[in-house]
Amino acid sequence: MDRIRLRILLVDDHEGFINAAMRHLRNVEWIEVVGRAGNGLEAIEQSEALRPDAILMDLAMPEMGGLQATRLIKAQDEPPFVAIASHFDDAEHREHAMRAGADAFVSKLNYMQDVMPLLERLAGGEMA
């Protein structure tokens, strides 16, 4: 099955976390990381400017967190797929993420194991 090339925006206030994700995603030929942002305000600007296919969004960040940013990004025309990531992997945080309009919730503890199947489905065109 042919995969489409996925354009991804990484959003996290921890440089080390973004760098680790970049190292992993750089090795996947059908993924292109088109931008990075350190908080929700930057994420909204980058989403409007870059029009990524998917945003991997941290839950807790300074200035504006992932939930509020997700709400605003999902109000854009043709919004991207948004996966919220958090160290707090429990039903309450998952419910808040879904209520904000996130398409998925992933644990930062199993980040790549959780994120890659989502991106593969997205690239395969199964999730429209």
Side-chain angles (χ1 to χ4, degrees):
M1 178 173 67
D2 285 341
R3 285 199 178 104
I4 61 167
R5 189 164 177 77
L6 269 192
R7 301 173 74 252
I8 293 178
L9 173 64
L10 292 176
V11 185
D12 201 292
D13 58 322
H14 290 102
E15 191 73 19
F17 188 80
I18 282 193
N19 289 338
M22 290 278 292
R23 270 194 306 278
H24 187 90
L25 295 171
R26 202 179 288 132
N27 295 324
V28 183
E29 73 278 355
W30 47 271
I31 288 178
E32 178 186 0
V33 177
V34 293
R36 49 206 289 177
N39 63 48
L41 294 172
E42 290 176 15
I44 293 164
E45 287 173 18
Q46 295 275 6
S47 178
E48 287 176 346
L50 301 171
R51 309 303 289 166
D53 300 306
I55 299 178
L56 305 180
M57 175 96 67
D58 188 19
L59 180 74
M61 294 177 289
E63 294 181 62
M64 181 188 288
L67 296 179
Q68 190 179 355
T70 297
R71 267 188 216 100
L72 294 169
I73 286 168
K74 283 299 190 177
Q76 294 173 354
D77 288 338
E78 298 180 38
F81 178 92
V82 177
I84 289 187
S86 177
H87 286 295
F88 306 106
D89 185 5
D90 56 49
E92 186 179 351
H93 284 89
R94 285 177 179 271
E95 188 178 318
H96 286 310
M98 295 304 135
R99 227 182 282 139
D103 298 289
F105 184 97
V106 295
S107 167
K108 280 192 164 182
L109 304 175
N110 306 318
Y111 190 66
M112 281 304 156
Q113 296 94 307
D114 287 358
V115 161
M116 288 312 295
L118 293 172
L119 298 180
E120 285 170 10
R121 277 205 309 274
L122 203 58
E126 291 172 39
M127 302 172 87

